[in-house]
């Protein structure tokens, strides 16, 4: 399987509490709910297409706990995500919980990188990380992630937990898709290419076209 990060971020890189003011108030964060005003049908369509590619969902403990609380309660037959979110295999990386109540769930114990690499070696399409910024950043730094999908809101919060905090390895990405939705969301898809390229500026005459 390919490991994929899907993340909602502000223009200044914050990923904390996109869905409501009370979703994640840890560390005194009080600016949640920044994603909701920009939801539109084009985003929903593309996000549904992304979820179609999943053969499993991968979480850190904190995101798993909140998702396991909220998603089973979504019983709207018109919701385009609930049935798949609730039925797909879930994997939670944690050494503090023994089992998961959001069936079907498998708890991955021990070293998170080794556990995910073992899971990644199994046949399948995408193993998708939703939320779980700390886990995603760790796996990206260790070269385990294959693709990054970002949904960027036209918002600068100036506070909150970042999706890609330092420290971490310098990782290179290649843009494979981009578009803006009517509400102003910018959707970006990247393949991970390995170590980030660097160079010294020597003028513009020999730049690639």
């Amino acid at each position: 399987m390919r490991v994929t990060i899907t993340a909602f971020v502000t223009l200044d890189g914050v990923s904390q509490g996109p869905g409501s003011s009370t979703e994640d108030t840890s560390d005194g964060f009080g600016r949640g709910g920044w994603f909701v005003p920009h939801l539109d049908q084009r985003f929903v369509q593309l996000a549904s297409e992304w979820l179609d590619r999943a053969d499993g969902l991968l979480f850190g403990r904190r995101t798993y706990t909140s998702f396991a609380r909220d998603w089973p309660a979504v019983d709207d037959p018109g919701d385009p995500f609930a049935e798949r979110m609730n039925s797909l295999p879930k994997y939670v990386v944690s050494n503090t919980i023994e089992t998961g109540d959001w069936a079907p769930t498998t708890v991955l114990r021990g070293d998170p990188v080794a556990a995910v690499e073992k899971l990644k070696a199994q046949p399948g399409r995408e193993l998708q990380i939703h939320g779980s910024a700390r886990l995603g950043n760790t796996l990206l730094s260790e070269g385990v992630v294959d693709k990054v999908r970002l949904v960027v809101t036209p918002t600068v919060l100036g506070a909150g937990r970042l999706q890609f905090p330092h420290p971490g390895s310098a990782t290179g990405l290649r843009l494979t898709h981009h578009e803006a939705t009517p509400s102003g969301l910018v959707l970006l898809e990247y393949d991970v290419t390995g170590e980030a390229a660097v160079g010294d500026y020597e003028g513009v005459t020999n730049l690639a076209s």
Side-chain angles (χ1 to χ4, degrees), residues 3-195:
V3 176
T4 301
I5 292 174
T6 299
F8 306 156
V9 298
T10 64
L11 197 59
D12 53 342
V14 175
S15 61
Q16 186 173 1
S20 78
S21 60
T22 59
E23 178 182 358
D24 182 354
T25 59
S26 59
D27 302 319
F29 182 66
R31 302 181 184 180
W34 44 266
F35 187 77
V36 177
H38 308 288
L39 284 169
D40 60 24
Q41 287 301 315
R42 176 55 184 158
F43 162 74
V44 171
Q45 178 187 0
L46 195 54
S48 181
E49 292 173 4
W50 291 344
L51 191 57
D52 279 340
R53 305 173 194 175
D55 282 330
L57 306 175
L58 179 64
F59 301 97
R61 180 196 56 79
R62 177 158 51 185
T63 300
Y64 175 82
T65 299
S66 63
F67 276 41
R69 177 195 65 217
D70 296 338
W71 277 107
V74 178
D75 55 7
D76 179 0
D79 187 285
F81 305 109
E83 182 179 356
R84 285 172 292 170
M85 291 292 291
N86 287 316
S87 62
L88 278 166
K90 270 78 69 174
Y91 302 90
V92 54
V93 176
S94 177
N95 289 313
T96 61
I97 62 174
E98 296 291 335
T99 60
D101 297 328
W102 188 21
T105 290
T106 300
V107 178
L108 304 178
R109 305 183 66 82
D111 176 67
V113 175
V116 175
E117 285 182 330
K118 183 177 180 180
L119 185 60
K120 179 179 175 178
Q122 297 181 12
R125 296 172 300 167
E126 290 188 357
L127 180 63
Q128 295 184 354
I129 303 171
H130 292 265
S132 306
R134 291 172 179 167
L135 174 63
N137 191 52
T138 296
L139 297 177
L140 183 67
S141 297
E142 294 295 327
V144 181
V145 174
D146 300 290
K147 182 179 283 290
V148 176
R149 296 188 178 105
L150 299 179
V151 184
V152 185
T153 65
T155 310
V156 176
L157 285 185
R161 192 167 53 251
L162 300 178
Q163 176 67 31
F164 299 117
H166 298 293
S169 62
T171 303
L173 305 170
R174 180 175 62 86
L175 184 66
T176 59
H177 178 81
H178 63 92
E179 71 174 89
T181 73
S183 69
L185 294 172
V186 176
L187 285 63
L188 304 168
E189 286 194 72
Y190 296 93
D191 284 343
V192 178
T193 59
E195 187 175 353

